[in-house]
Amino acid sequence: YSRQREAIKKYLMSTKEHPTAEMVYEAIRQVCPNISLGTVYRNLTFLEEHGEITRLHCGEGSDRFDGNIDPHYHFICRECGCVQDLPML
């Protein structure tokens, strides 16, 4: 357990944006000003490996992260790169 990892997980669970690691870093710095980008990457990898978040490979752009681990699809716009959840029917 670490306060930084918990802050990252809480942030990802609170947003629908599907942020990149850099976006997570910028958001978490508000709570943990001394956190490094490397620490964010390590914690994102840890959370993904333990099934607590999902990593989305979005083609040529940066990977995105999703705190919603319930089964669902993703829509990735090829024009602007936005990612949206799509429910499974």
Side-chain angles (χ1 to χ4, degrees), residues 3-4 9 13 15 17 21-22 28-29 35 38 44-46 51 57 61 64-65 69-71 73-74 79 83-85:
R3 186 172 65 88
Q4 296 168 331
K9 182 178 175 184
M13 293 178 74
T15 183
E17 282 188 46
E22 291 79 10
I28 297 304
R29 284 186 62 203
I35 196 167
L44 288 170
T45 298
F46 178 91
H57 303 285
R64 303 291 190 110
F65 296 89
I69 58 171
D70 293 331
Y73 298 108
H74 291 101
E79 292 288 321
V83 180
Q84 295 180 351
D85 289 337

Side-chain angles (χ1 to χ4, degrees), residues 30-78:
Q30 306 302 314
V31 180
C32 305
N34 295 326
I35 196 167
S36 70
L37 183 58
T39 298
V40 170
Y41 273 106
R42 282 190 297 279
N43 280 288
L44 288 170
T45 298
F46 178 91
L47 290 167
E48 177 195 13
E49 288 173 349
H50 287 83
E52 298 184 49
I53 65 170
T54 302
R55 179 186 303 254
L56 306 170
H57 303 285
C58 299
E60 294 180 20
S62 298
D63 288 347
R64 303 291 190 110
F65 296 89
D66 190 353
N68 178 4
I69 58 171
D70 293 331
H72 63 282
Y73 298 108
H74 291 101
F75 170 80
I76 304 170
C77 179
R78 292 183 184 173

